[in-house]
Amino acid sequence: MSILDIRVLGDPILREETKPVDAITEELRTLARDMFETMHVAKGIGLAAPQVGRSERMAVVEVDEHRLVIINPEIVAGEGKDKAEEGCLSIPDVYGDVERPAKVHVRATDLDGKTFEVEAEGLLGRCLQHEIDHLHGKLFIDYLSVLKRRSALGKWGKEKDKYPGFIRKLEVDPARAHEHPDEEL
Ligand code: K1U
Ligand code: ZN
């Protein structure tokens, strides 16, 4: 397994539409495993393929006991409204309140090629929406008001030089390195 580099705001791939997955291959399964491992190291609850420089329409989500790989996901229905703070592994240290449907019904394909449906609210519902947005080149900052977006981008302006080439290299905690034996420290 590998820990992948995360692309940060400014990398054009984060603004591109992904390509639908038409075959579940061993390479796609490896990518999903690597994305989970990368998400864990980054202390996230979700990760979408463009965030690791890939254009497949796939994301991983892990909230409480829900661990999902969503391939070609679609939001088939949404209801209500809910506002809560979001962050993004591709815009580190920038946060903002985002209003979204409170409950969503998502249809997706899993790594066995089976279609499944999930109805979710709370953090899981929010995370699914955040990841599906990534698959369409949309970021949480796009939902902010002009003033709040300006402030978020101002904060990012001070952070972005930490990520040359728009690449965020993750550091593995030496105390947990045994969990990532393939990684060089
Ligand atoms: O896609 C990503 O950038 C991952 C992102 C997903 C997300 C965060 C907050 C709300 C919706 C979706 C993160 O995981 S950022 C880490 C984070 O903000 C968080 C971590 C644990 C619990 C709650 C939030
Ligand atoms: Zn994100």
Side-chain angles (χ1 to χ4, degrees), residues 67-132:
R67 181 182 160 99
L68 301 172
V69 177
I70 51 170
I71 297 166
N72 300 335
E74 288 171 73
I75 297 178
V76 293
E79 65 181 70
K81 275 186 188 170
D82 183 36
K83 198 174 200 180
E85 188 173 76
E86 294 191 17
C88 180
L89 298 178
S90 293
I91 321 177
D93 299 312
V94 174
Y95 303 91
D97 286 339
V98 178
E99 185 172 283
R100 295 186 184 272
K103 188 174 181 181
V104 285
H105 185 143
V106 173
R107 184 178 298 142
T109 299
D110 68 15
L111 280 177
D112 296 320
K114 273 198 186 151
T115 301
F116 68 98
E117 298 196 359
V118 56
E119 246 188 12
E121 52 194 337
L123 191 56
L124 178 62
R126 182 166 291 275
C127 189
L128 283 165
Q129 293 178 73
H130 180 114
E131 300 313 327
I132 293 169

Side-chain angles (χ1 to χ4, degrees), residues 8-11 90-94 152-168:
V8 300
L9 185 62
D11 189 318
S90 293
I91 321 177
D93 299 312
V94 174
L153 291 176
K155 176 102 199 291
W156 176 243
K158 293 185 196 131
E159 297 290 325
K160 69 177 187 342
D161 293 347
K162 294 182 190 165
Y163 307 100
F166 306 116
I167 287 176
R168 175 180 177 195

